[in-house]
Amino acid sequence: MRKVYFDHAATTQPDRRVVEAMLPYLEETFGNPSSIHDYGSAAKEAIEKARARVASLINAARPEEIYFTSSGAEADNFALKGIALGNQQKGKHIVTSQIEHHAVMHSAQTMEKWGFQVTYVPVDKYGVVDPADVARAITPQTTLVSIMHANSEVGTIQPIAEIARITRERGVLLHTDAVATVGIIPVDVKELGVDLLSLSGHAFYGPKGAGALYVHKGVRIVPFIDGGVQEGGRRAGTENVPAIVGLGVAAEIAKAEVPGRGAQLTPLRDRLARGLLERIDRVYLNGHPTQRLPSHVNVCVEYIEGESILLFLNMQGVAASSGSACTSRALKASHVLTAMGVDPALAQGSLLFSLGRGNTQEDVDYVLEVLPPIVERLRQMSPLYAARKDS
Amino acid sequence: MRKVYFDHAATTQPDRRVVEAMLPYLEETFGNPSSIHDYGSAAKEAIEKARARVASLINAARPEEIYFTSSGAEADNFALKGIALGNQQKGKHIVTSQIEHHAVMHSAQTMEKWGFQVTYVPVDKYGVVDPADVARAITPQTTLVSIMHANSEVGTIQPIAEIARITRERGVLLHTDAVATVGIIPVDVKELGVDLLSLSGHAFYGPKGAGALYVHKGVRIVPFIDGGVQEGGRRAGTENVPAIVGLGVAAEIAKAEVPGRGAQLTPLRDRLARGLLERIDRVYLNGHPTQRLPSHVNVCVEYIEGESILLFLNMQGVAASSGSACTSRALKASHVLTAMGVDPALAQGSLLFSLGRGNTQEDVDYVLEVLPPIVERLRQMSPLYAARKDS
């Protein structure tokens, strides 16, 4: 049976070069980077090299603007809580959107419990934040705006540079969760104009266990993980040296390959989207028609549940998801789709195919071949579908 | 030149079996444990197996009482902030000690900024917390007592079971930072009577990037990293599958080997301590004479700085530290030694040799051979030493 991995939004297979670079740091070069001896220096050197590589990938001016974390989620928590708490003498108001990743959204909700105000700006039917809404939401008490670069479920890319012009003008900091874009499409912190940016290694052929937060020099942020003096005193805990080394190599590879990744993925994405719409009745494509990631095809299939389709697809060797992996076991309608105005019943039938560099046209054609009979079979079992035919 | 690694308190070299168990999860079995397909299930199974192994090592009743984190520091932050914030309706007072790891101490200081009260109980000259001091510090507003199991700098073991009898009686939760003990000496959460316990994989021949917090069933704790539904909704972020697998294997190995580790290390530790006291003038052993880890020899060498000694030792192939790796680049006198009443000037001359399972008597004898001339040479250059001789 053919195996098709169409769940790159959940995680990617680390590049062989990434794994090979990590191996020495798993065993021989095992020192603690904070130690004052050769074992420590070798580890320290390795993480500083990785820091420079990550800085270079996103065009940060200085390697020391990169703070390694254990994940994109930790980077998001660090950004929201670190900025809000570090700047509360100015005010206690945050602006974010209704379609953020839960790491941002739930951090914002925690801040509300701590006495902060949060405004969640809406999105249009394509999942796009209107910069004018952000501008209207900013008050003199606002310290931070956090809007994701691209939505990891529907792939819609946000007008971050436009939002940055507003936040700069209003003297407010701008964070973007770029976990879905860094290493996939070009990301340049200067062009975007952001003050903080979260990224995650395993999203772009790097290892799990290493993410980073970019913090523009001079930005006031308090540590999220308190403790030792690692990461300039801003993130405690012994550094995960092998994973950081792997993230650095993934960044270097991405820098070379990202310009070509869109050209490889876009035709596959479009072939898949077109094929689904042609071959399956009552299927709706989610997200913006053009301002979208080259990797994502998100559809709603009416009358059936996404999870059931996934189980049948899995039996045919196809790995996909119903949205965010971080909520997939929660079995709730996606907050992203409902914010876009998708009917909650329809949103239950959401399917996300996220393509990656190993995928081929044959993979796409295989999915287009196996999916329609699965949908047909599930619809035959669906009382909703039966009700529709009767009506 | 002989290479002697006496810095096991900073980090340990992962066991070959640990690394081998991790390799498949770095590359082939790369799925996201939250994904609903075979790639995801394989990863999920692996982390649940690791969870059961870690639970077994510390004799936790249920695997689901183990929450994986990225480090011991994160586990400490989770424990302190998660318990304090989750139980603030009862009160806003925490009790801890003056010699905790900075991950606990700085978390407590952060809680003070958030309006909590913290009592830092003192220690005696051996670094031991008096349970009576803990009892006196508890008020009706106290929700949490956090006292480390053993101090990672001087090796003194605390009377946790006695403290637990007090906290149970008073209806207060007890957390212990057991990063210095789990996998080194027997640790049993039921015998200790603790409600929460932090551990770190790289402290006992496991990988960096994986720690855990044990949380007794029914204890009210709020998440520290907000976001997705991983770890029962209590710790967001894609799980670091390879590191968690490695931690699980390290736990399994430790379960078999820990009973023998003390018998191997204690004679080496005692030979080193005795040799240092015999061969070097004005050297003082820190920590409790008997209630101590089998791995730690912490001394103060009068008139010279620990960091200078370390640089010379490193040139002779010996890796040691001046205390905690997490503060080693801060070059301040250890808060642990000063809390024990060691004169700050003398504390500047602290040296920590932390032994591990690969060490031999030859390693000890080599250090006893190379260290005295280094001390002699540094003292000749020391104005403090000259002043003493003149007086």
Side-chain angles (χ1 to χ4, degrees), chain B residues 4 18 123 128 289 309 317 355 358 366:
Chain B
V4 176
V18 166
V123 293
V128 182
I309 306 176
L355 282 59
Y366 179 71

Side-chain angles (χ1 to χ4, degrees), chain A residues 49-126:
Chain A
K49 192 170 167 185
R51 200 184 307 280
R53 285 170 162 170
V54 173
S56 167
L57 176 63
I58 59 170
N59 198 26
R62 306 163 192 85
E64 60 271 26
E65 292 176 326
I66 304 298
Y67 295 89
F68 290 118
T69 66
S70 63
S71 65
E74 188 197 322
D76 285 340
N77 275 259
F78 184 12
L80 265 81
K81 298 173 182 173
I83 293 296
L85 293 170
N87 297 275
Q88 55 183 314
Q89 76 295 343
K90 189 200 156 191
K92 298 177 84 168
H93 180 242
I94 300 166
V95 176
T96 184
S97 85
Q98 292 177 1
I99 59 154
E100 298 299 310
H101 187 275
H102 278 166
V104 166
M105 179 161 283
H106 293 168
S107 288
Q109 288 165 354
T110 290
M111 303 310 295
E112 289 187 88
K113 286 187 197 143
W114 297 354
F116 285 74
Q117 257 80 53
V118 181
T119 303
Y120 301 88
V121 298
V123 293
D124 67 15
K125 64 175 176 173
Y126 298 123

Side-chain angles (χ1 to χ4, degrees), chain A residues 7 10 13-14 16 26-27 30 32-35 37-38 77 81 106 110 208 226-227 229 314 325-326 328-329, chain B residues 7 10 13-14 16 26-27 30 32-35 37-38 77 81 106 110 208 226-227 229 314 325-326 328-329:
Chain A
D7 198 10
Q13 181 169 35
R16 183 100 274 269
L26 284 173
E27 199 166 5
F30 67 92
N32 184 321
S34 298
S35 295
H37 48 61
D38 292 349
N77 275 259
K81 298 173 182 173
H106 293 168
T110 290
K208 294 179 182 63
D226 288 310
V229 296
N314 182 50
C326 298
S328 65
R329 291 181 189 273
Chain B
D7 198 10
Q13 181 168 35
R16 182 100 274 269
L26 284 172
E27 200 165 5
F30 67 91
N32 184 323
S34 298
S35 294
H37 48 59
D38 292 349
N77 277 256
K81 297 173 183 174
H106 292 168
T110 291
K208 293 178 182 63
D226 288 311
V229 295
N314 183 49
C326 298
S328 66
R329 293 182 190 271

Side-chain angles (χ1 to χ4, degrees), chain A residues 153 286 297-301 305-307 309-310 313 320-323 337 347 349-353 371 375:
Chain A
E153 294 183 39
N286 298 311
V297 176
N298 187 309
V299 292
C300 283
V301 184
E305 297 220 324
E307 277 72 19
I309 307 176
L310 292 181
L313 278 176
S321 88
S322 58
L337 294 178
S350 68
L351 272 186
L352 169 59
F353 299 102
L371 184 57
V375 170

